[in-house]
Amino acid sequence: EGARMQLGTFRIENPIVLAPMAGVTDWAYRCIAASLGADITVTEMVSSRALVYHDKKSLSLLRKTDAGICGAQIFGNDPSVMAEGAALALEHSGADFIDINMGCPAPKITGNGDGSALMRSPALAARIIEAAVRAVSIPVSVKFRLGWDADSINAVEFAKMAESSGAAFVTVHGRTRMQMYSGTADWDKIAEVVNAVRIPVIGNGDVFSGTD
């Protein structure tokens, strides 16, 4: 197979993915990355609640990348709101897949129970994924971290849960929430996730060069 992966109906020859980064991966940045060989790009994260309330700024963040395969990333912690948000994100962007953020470590996100806080509530996370999968006709992926902290690393179990809840693929950032962006990403832990599930796994964290 080499490095190819199947994403829904798409055959990805070079699974080089531009990570969604709040305040960075706007439409222009994503178009440049796509032109340089990123087969998959993902929007900045957008609040599912803001989408449901038809917030104009949130909708503008979802503009689809001009080339390649583009995912729209949403976050939230209410299954019904996330389902509606996924449907609205698809409707407004024409995205090729929906990505659910369960990895953001920012206190203003985790303080509301969003992002990586969901790694402490796998049962709720499962309901969110299932609801989003039911709400849209395109693949749904999930991005998360190794766990909340060093004593609660649960990425393998979390990935299995995401797979059984209907996720088409997962992306794992090789740090815990408490690490934020410090230290180094643990690629060995990401490898454990790869070996535990049948769906594709994208490794994220500390990719600074082509060699990486």
Side-chain angles (χ1 to χ4, degrees):
E1 282 295 305
R4 291 179 300 189
M5 71 178 261
Q6 192 75 27
L7 172 57
T9 56
F10 300 106
R11 182 82 169 154
I12 316 292
E13 294 297 328
N14 300 301
I16 308 295
V17 185
L18 176 67
M21 294 173 277
V24 178
T25 50
D26 60 13
W27 173 79
Y29 190 105
R30 286 183 275 116
C31 288
I32 292 167
S35 73
L36 295 172
D39 277 5
I40 303 174
T41 58
V42 190
T43 68
E44 297 176 64
M45 64 176 187
V46 174
S47 162
S48 56
R49 211 167 282 284
L51 289 174
V52 169
Y53 291 135
H54 301 292
D55 175 60
K56 294 275 193 293
K57 183 175 183 293
S58 295
L59 290 175
S60 70
L61 294 174
L62 292 175
R63 184 177 174 185
K64 191 179 179 186
T65 313
D66 281 359
I69 288 154
C70 178
Q73 191 186 76
I74 60 173
F75 71 91
N77 61 30
D78 180 305
S80 61
V81 175
M82 284 289 277
E84 194 179 340
L88 288 167
L90 170 56
E91 181 189 326
H92 285 284
S93 66
D96 299 305
F97 65 97
I98 298 292
D99 188 51
I100 300 176
N101 183 311
M102 295 188 174
C104 179
K108 69 178 179 185
I109 299 291
T110 59
N112 290 327
D114 299 332
S116 57
L118 286 161
M119 294 204 72
R120 294 198 288 188
S121 309
L124 174 58
R127 285 173 39 223
I128 288 169
I129 298 164
E130 287 163 4
V133 168
R134 278 198 305 270
V136 293
S137 56
I138 55 173
V140 173
S141 60
V142 186
K143 184 176 180 188
F144 52 92
R145 287 185 167 233
L146 296 183
W148 181 257
D149 57 27
D151 295 325
S152 57
I153 287 176
N154 61 339
V156 166
E157 297 79 15
F158 207 81
K160 287 179 175 174
M161 173 278 295
E163 180 178 43
S164 62
S165 299
F169 73 92
V170 293
T171 303
V172 186
H173 184 151
R175 288 178 170 82
T176 64
R177 186 272 165 177
M178 296 310 282
Q179 275 184 280
M180 301 290 281
Y181 298 98
S182 67
T184 52
D186 189 337
W187 291 358
D188 291 337
K189 290 275 195 312
I190 298 174
E192 289 175 21
V193 175
V194 173
N195 293 327
V197 294
R198 287 188 296 275
I199 54 174
V201 177
I202 305 287
N204 175 239
D206 296 355
V207 178
F208 297 120
S209 67
T211 313
D212 292 341

